[in-house]
Amino acid sequence: MKRGKAKSQVVTMRDVAKESGFSSATVSIVLNNAPLARYIAPATKERIEKTAKRLGYRPNVMARFLRSQRSHTVGVMFFDVLDPFCTPTLRGIENALFSTSCLPFFADAQNQRNRFERYLEMLLERHVEALIVVANWLFVDINLLADLSKRNIPVVTIGWEVANETVSSVMVDNEAGARLALEHLYLLGHRKIAFIRGPKAIIDSAPRWKGVQKFAQGAGLEIDPGLVAELPDVFDTYSGFEAGYRLTQELLGRKKRFTAVLAFDDLTAFGALRALTKAGIKVPEQCSVIGFDDIAPAALAAPALTTVRQPLEAMGALAVSIVMDGINAATEKRAAPVVHRRSTPELVVRESTRPAAGRGSGD
Amino acid sequence: MKRGKAKSQVVTMRDVAKESGFSSATVSIVLNNAPLARYIAPATKERIEKTAKRLGYRPNVMARFLRSQRSHTVGVMFFDVLDPFCTPTLRGIENALFSTSCLPFFADAQNQRNRFERYLEMLLERHVEALIVVANWLFVDINLLADLSKRNIPVVTIGWEVANETVSSVMVDNEAGARLALEHLYLLGHRKIAFIRGPKAIIDSAPRWKGVQKFAQGAGLEIDPGLVAELPDVFDTYSGFEAGYRLTQELLGRKKRFTAVLAFDDLTAFGALRALTKAGIKVPEQCSVIGFDDIAPAALAAPALTTVRQPLEAMGALAVSIVMDGINAATEKRAAPVVHRRSTPELVVRESTRPAAGRGSGD
DNA sequence: TTGTATGCGTTATCAA
DNA sequence: TTGATAACGCATACAA
């Protein structure tokens, strides 16, 4: 009944229609520049557009969804957004999404499975057109994600790969990255190198170690098992730091000389850095340290950390382009191809590495 | 016409109605546990609920919005999400929002005014029920936000305050924080202290400096103008680091002794740390450094940074509770109160500060 | 070149 | 205790 203007500050299409003197069908056609707009008189168009602007009309995405079945919305789910890995990835996703006029829903599982599931539910209730999962370690039932794909909702994971035929993924080329890191140390003359391997449960660990082994083999570098440590499978956000610290102390305790540490990731490297510093060993003068990831603190540390950079922003953008392809495929009733992309890591040389001390320690 | 079951994997309420043999009205009443559900036969309820579960029915939030005018969605807008200030804040927001079953849209202005405006537009099109703005420095036309408030969309800013009667805000008590920092140095015996003040354009700068001055006055500590530097008004994400580095070098160049540096924020402190290290001055042995914010890298640095902690997660949660009050007020047609909250900072003592060197440098 | 009518998935009002 | 029906804001098929 009473359409009180008291309540409704929101301008609807009907308001524009009434005000401009045309039907809402015409208004719809004009404002959306639909195919039929070809046949609308220019004067009409102009009048409608002007009143729309004057009234401050804004299309209602939700009402539109009811007809078009398009929500112009995607879900972005993090396993743990506090992981420094996530922020640049998020930036990359946001940036790429911006030009598609899709808006992302933000969800953070906080490494809890039930939160993950609840968020999946909420995302589904809101009919996201795609889902991007930024993953680090938590293990989620693959079927949950596969279910989405079956509903024709494209899913892509970043930093984690599902052994599954229905979910796309974007990961850095871990093997190449590890090779880059070791090669760097090798070219600086380091031969006694300590390694802190990643936890078994993390998917990146194996390929990184493989990269190390392959390079070592090719270069004739011997990996001393006495200089190899491995991170345990515990996953608080910053556990890598603590563990890196502890393992480096332990390595130091073994009384085997080493002139460089190759850490699983930057967090571990920071832990190593602190342990070395505490032990009175100067980095990089007496020992070099190299990390992996290039998270923000790497550039801030003193000494600034040499590391292998994951192109996280680009990976985020890549993920967006993959799901967008999927959305377009779905719209055109084509099957969305599932792809697994590998991005190329890059060596970033800063201050924590330098040529192996001539004589003095090594050899 | 043909309602092909080929396409629609989505279960609607009508599907549940058809399958259970009741009308969709009844289904709606039961599934929402509406007041009328009191009068529905238990057997009916059970049957409906079972079929709903069996079919995997999920309410469509958008369709629901059309009737209820509630989108169960809020906007979270960042000026620059790469600022380390943002991540914990985001976590706090997300965490508090989770229990309200509102889902946040993520928007990042990347410090660009036009992006900010475009996102505002997109958020409005999606009928967010509230807006939380996580701000650091960019200056946005206040009226844009005030407009939202006028539409009964509650707005709260975190880390930035609008000189305006319609937008709520949450900030740390900068004055108290600065006092905490200086007091810490003072109690450690430092008397020759260098200061790096914040940029004029940042709202936090003035109150922090006021806190410093007040404490100095109260304690009879002299602030040597020759030991005071000020960050310039440039705002790339990490410009504070560079500037802190440069200004510390300059301070060092003035040849005036100082035994501690009180930096505007952690980024600046990291810059100072590096400059000191480069100059061969050991921290904290020869010079203490204190920051402000307690961003993640502070705990990772070697030495770990002593700083004043902003309770960012709590601030995010507080912002959520403010807008939720606003939403509830709007629902009940009450006026939403505008509030300005100050959160209490906390001193975090780590490794970068220690008692002033007995003799040797100071005095 | 433009208008009318219908339906998208829900919920609220009214009848039965 | 339950079922028709209308309406939310929009876009399309069809009519004019």
Side-chain angles (χ1 to χ4, degrees):
Chain A
M1 311 286 112
K2 278 189 212 165
R3 176 159 323 285
K5 51 193 60 174
K7 178 217 170 154
S8 164
Q9 299 89 338
V10 182
V11 179
T12 151
M13 215 169 72
R14 251 198 294 280
D15 296 330
V16 177
K18 213 157 288 178
E19 185 75 9
S20 66
F22 293 95
S23 76
S24 38
T26 310
V27 173
S28 173
I29 290 166
V30 170
L31 261 26
N32 293 309
N33 205 3
L36 264 55
R38 274 170 43 76
Y39 306 109
I40 305 280
T44 307
K45 282 188 186 174
E46 199 189 351
R47 199 132 65 88
I48 289 177
E49 271 154 4
K50 277 209 172 138
T51 35
K53 203 151 296 167
R54 185 160 56 77
L55 264 43
Y57 169 73
R58 239 182 291 273
N60 182 331
V61 173
M62 318 227 211
R64 183 176 280 178
F65 166 83
L66 245 49
R67 297 253 353 153
S68 65
Q69 296 291 69
R70 299 211 45 181
S71 65
H72 295 283
T73 284
V74 309
V76 181
M77 172 104 74
F78 292 85
F79 281 3
D80 175 12
V81 80
L82 292 183
D83 190 316
F85 173 92
C86 293
T87 318
T89 310
L90 175 55
R91 162 60 64 93
I93 293 170
E94 178 268 337
N95 200 46
L97 231 31
F98 185 66
S99 51
T100 70
S101 71
C102 271
L103 210 52
F105 275 120
F106 174 86
D108 182 9
Q110 296 190 18
N111 276 331
Q112 295 163 233
R113 190 194 157 95
N114 58 336
R115 275 181 91 94
F116 186 92
E117 290 175 9
R118 173 72 183 117
Y119 270 128
L120 226 44
E121 203 67 28
M122 293 174 78
L123 259 10
L124 252 17
E125 285 174 355
R126 282 159 181 84
H127 290 259
V128 292
E129 297 191 44
L131 178 65
I132 299 175
V133 180
V134 183
N136 19 19
W137 46 60
L138 170 93
F139 296 87
V140 157
D141 186 355
I142 289 150
N143 296 320
L144 284 176
L145 296 179
D147 277 358
L148 293 202
S149 296
K150 268 178 225 143
R151 286 172 212 272
N152 282 322
I153 302 177
V155 178
V156 58
T157 58
I158 301 180
W160 184 55
E161 188 168 310
V162 167
N164 183 297
E165 297 299 302
T166 61
V167 175
S168 297
S169 68
V170 176
M171 289 193 61
V172 72
D173 186 337
N174 279 305
E175 192 177 320
R179 169 183 301 260
L180 236 38
L182 184 52
E183 184 187 47
H184 173 64
L185 294 179
Y186 185 83
L187 292 179
L188 287 176
H190 295 280
R191 294 298 179 268
K192 304 285 185 195
I193 300 173
F195 297 88
I196 303 180
R197 296 178 58 176
K200 287 203 180 58
I202 291 187
I203 194 174
D204 309 281
S205 299
R208 286 189 197 173
W209 186 242
K210 194 168 172 193
V212 162
Q213 286 180 306
K214 279 199 181 168
F215 178 85
Q217 202 158 23
L221 174 74
E222 194 201 347
I223 297 178
D224 180 349
L227 288 178
V228 176
E230 181 174 310
L231 294 167
D233 279 334
V234 247
F235 308 121
D236 306 315
T237 313
Y238 292 102
S239 65
F241 175 71
E242 290 301 336
Y245 178 68
R246 214 169 20 71
L247 288 179
T248 303
Q249 286 188 318
E250 192 194 306
L251 245 15
L252 251 17
R254 294 187 195 170
K255 301 289 178 200
K256 287 203 168 187
R257 273 280 152 68
F258 56 89
T259 65
V261 178
L262 191 155
F264 171 64
D265 63 8
D266 290 348
L267 241 30
T268 314
F270 288 130
L273 224 52
R274 174 167 307 179
L276 291 166
T277 306
K278 274 256 166 72
I281 299 170
K282 289 186 131 188
V283 178
E285 290 82 352
Q286 298 170 266
C287 184
S288 289
V289 173
I290 188 166
F292 200 116
D293 283 350
D294 194 24
I295 58 179
L300 304 178
L305 190 68
T306 294
T307 189
V308 174
R309 174 162 227 270
Q310 293 202 42
L312 295 174
E313 290 199 26
M315 287 162 71
L318 185 53
V320 168
S321 85
I322 291 173
V323 293
M324 282 301 149
D325 288 350
I327 290 174
N328 292 334
T331 312
E332 302 162 17
K333 314 238 170 207
R334 291 186 286 109
V338 171
V339 300
H340 298 282
R341 296 304 222 30
R342 292 283 169 280
S343 69
T344 306
E346 180 191 355
L347 180 70
V348 179
V349 180
R350 294 208 182 89
E351 307 169 343
S352 69
T353 51
R354 81 165 48 169
R359 310 294 82 188
S361 37
D363 282 321
Chain B
M1 309 288 112
K2 280 187 212 167
R3 176 157 325 285
K5 52 192 60 176
K7 178 215 170 156
S8 168
Q9 300 88 339
V10 183
V11 179
T12 151
M13 213 170 71
R14 251 197 294 278
D15 296 330
V16 178
K18 213 156 289 177
E19 186 75 9
S20 67
F22 293 94
S23 75
S24 38
T26 309
V27 173
S28 173
I29 290 167
V30 171
L31 261 26
N32 292 310
N33 204 5
L36 264 55
R38 275 170 42 79
Y39 305 112
I40 304 280
T44 307
K45 282 188 187 176
E46 199 189 351
R47 199 133 62 87
I48 289 176
E49 271 154 4
K50 278 212 172 137
T51 32
K53 204 152 296 168
R54 185 162 55 78
L55 264 43
Y57 169 74
R58 238 183 293 273
N60 181 330
V61 173
M62 317 226 216
R64 183 176 279 179
F65 166 83
L66 244 49
R67 301 262 342 164
S68 66
Q69 297 291 67
R70 299 213 44 181
S71 64
H72 294 284
T73 283
V74 308
V76 181
M77 172 104 75
F78 291 86
F79 281 4
D80 176 13
V81 81
L82 292 183
D83 189 317
F85 173 92
C86 293
T87 318
T89 310
L90 176 55
R91 162 60 64 94
I93 293 170
E94 177 269 337
N95 199 46
L97 232 30
F98 185 67
S99 51
T100 70
S101 72
C102 271
L103 210 52
F105 275 122
F106 174 87
D108 182 9
Q110 296 191 17
N111 277 332
Q112 295 162 233
R113 191 195 155 93
N114 58 336
R115 273 181 93 94
F116 185 92
E117 292 175 8
R118 173 72 182 117
Y119 269 128
L120 226 43
E121 203 68 29
M122 293 173 79
L123 258 11
L124 253 16
E125 285 173 356
R126 282 159 181 84
H127 289 259
V128 293
E129 297 191 45
L131 178 64
I132 298 175
V133 180
V134 183
N136 18 19
W137 46 58
L138 170 94
F139 296 87
V140 156
D141 187 354
I142 289 149
N143 296 319
L144 284 176
L145 296 181
D147 276 359
L148 293 203
S149 296
K150 270 178 225 144
R151 285 172 213 272
N152 283 324
I153 302 177
V155 179
V156 58
T157 57
I158 301 180
W160 183 56
E161 187 169 309
V162 167
N164 185 293
E165 298 299 301
T166 61
V167 175
S168 296
S169 69
V170 176
M171 289 192 62
V172 72
D173 186 337
N174 279 303
E175 193 178 321
R179 169 183 301 260
L180 237 38
L182 184 51
E183 184 187 48
H184 173 65
L185 294 178
Y186 185 84
L187 292 179
L188 287 176
H190 294 280
R191 294 298 179 267
K192 304 286 186 194
I193 300 173
F195 297 89
I196 303 182
R197 298 177 58 176
K200 288 202 181 58
I202 292 187
I203 193 174
D204 308 281
S205 299
R208 285 189 197 172
W209 186 242
K210 195 169 169 190
V212 163
Q213 286 180 307
K214 278 198 181 169
F215 177 86
Q217 203 160 23
L221 174 74
E222 195 200 350
I223 298 178
D224 181 347
L227 288 178
V228 177
E230 183 175 310
L231 295 167
D233 279 332
V234 248
F235 307 120
D236 305 315
T237 314
Y238 290 103
S239 64
F241 175 71
E242 289 300 337
Y245 178 69
R246 213 167 22 71
L247 288 179
T248 303
Q249 285 188 319
E250 192 195 306
L251 245 16
L252 251 17
R254 294 187 195 169
K255 301 291 178 199
K256 287 202 168 189
R257 273 278 153 70
F258 57 89
T259 65
V261 178
L262 190 155
F264 171 64
D265 63 8
D266 289 349
L267 241 30
T268 315
F270 287 131
L273 225 52
R274 176 168 305 180
L276 292 166
T277 306
K278 274 255 166 73
I281 299 170
K282 289 186 130 188
V283 178
E285 290 82 354
Q286 299 169 267
C287 184
S288 289
V289 173
I290 189 167
F292 200 116
D293 284 349
D294 195 23
I295 60 178
L300 303 178
L305 190 68
T306 294
T307 188
V308 174
R309 175 161 228 269
Q310 293 202 43
L312 295 174
E313 289 199 27
M315 289 163 70
L318 186 52
V320 168
S321 85
I322 291 173
V323 293
M324 281 302 149
D325 287 350
I327 290 173
N328 292 334
T331 312
E332 302 162 16
K333 312 241 171 205
R334 291 185 287 109
V338 172
V339 301
H340 298 282
R341 296 306 222 26
R342 291 283 169 279
S343 69
T344 305
E346 180 191 355
L347 180 70
V348 180
V349 180
R350 294 206 182 91
E351 307 170 341
S352 68
T353 51
R354 83 163 51 166
R359 309 296 79 189
S361 38
D363 283 322

